[in-house]
Amino acid sequence: QVQLQESGGGLVQPGGSLRLSCAASGSSFGVLYMGWYRQTPGKQRELVTKITSGGTTDYADSVKGRFTISRDNAKNTVYLQMNNLKPEDTAVYYCNVQKYNSGFYRDYWGQGTQVTVSS
């Protein structure tokens, strides 16, 4: 079982920066990747970025060059550094962990943290 808690969201002006944190508790066995998704009303939740257990990263085209995912294994925490934020980045951001065990994939989600980019 994995429990996730996000923090760091808030209100920021266009061009500003925020850093989101996701603290994980529970077993790390079978973890394939940790990542960040975001969702706005009326839209499907979309992948923003992810990092595998081996350190490989992937980013949505819309955030490449602006967002950076990182992790601190000692603290069981994954971070999302968001720079040059745009109004279209406004969303609820969710931390996600995907595990594989006994032939099944399983996803764990945080409660979400609101990011609002506005003047």
Side-chain angles (χ1 to χ4, degrees), residues 60-119:
D61 288 341
S62 60
V63 306
K64 286 181 179 178
R66 299 188 298 118
F67 291 10
T68 303
I69 188 170
S70 62
R71 65 174 183 241
D72 186 332
N73 290 331
K75 297 181 179 180
N76 296 316
T77 301
V78 63
Y79 303 95
L80 180 63
Q81 178 66 46
M82 304 185 293
N83 297 325
N84 192 24
L85 284 160
K86 303 176 180 179
E88 51 263 44
D89 295 318
T90 296
V92 177
Y93 284 71
Y94 297 90
C95 183
N96 168 249
V97 173
Q98 186 171 88
K99 283 189 168 186
Y100 181 82
N101 182 261
S102 300
F104 294 92
Y105 294 94
R106 186 169 183 176
D107 286 291
Y108 299 87
W109 298 92
Q111 83 286 351
T113 184
Q114 177 70 47
V115 172
T116 302
V117 184
S118 177
S119 298

Side-chain angles (χ1 to χ4, degrees), residues 3-14:
Q3 293 182 321
L4 307 173
Q5 185 169 8
E6 306 100 328
S7 62
L11 175 64
V12 64
Q13 294 184 349

Side-chain angles (χ1 to χ4, degrees), residues 33-45:
Y33 68 82
M34 300 182 68
W36 292 92
Y37 286 71
R38 65 186 181 187
Q39 188 170 26
T40 57
K43 294 183 63 177
Q44 187 175 357
R45 190 173 299 183

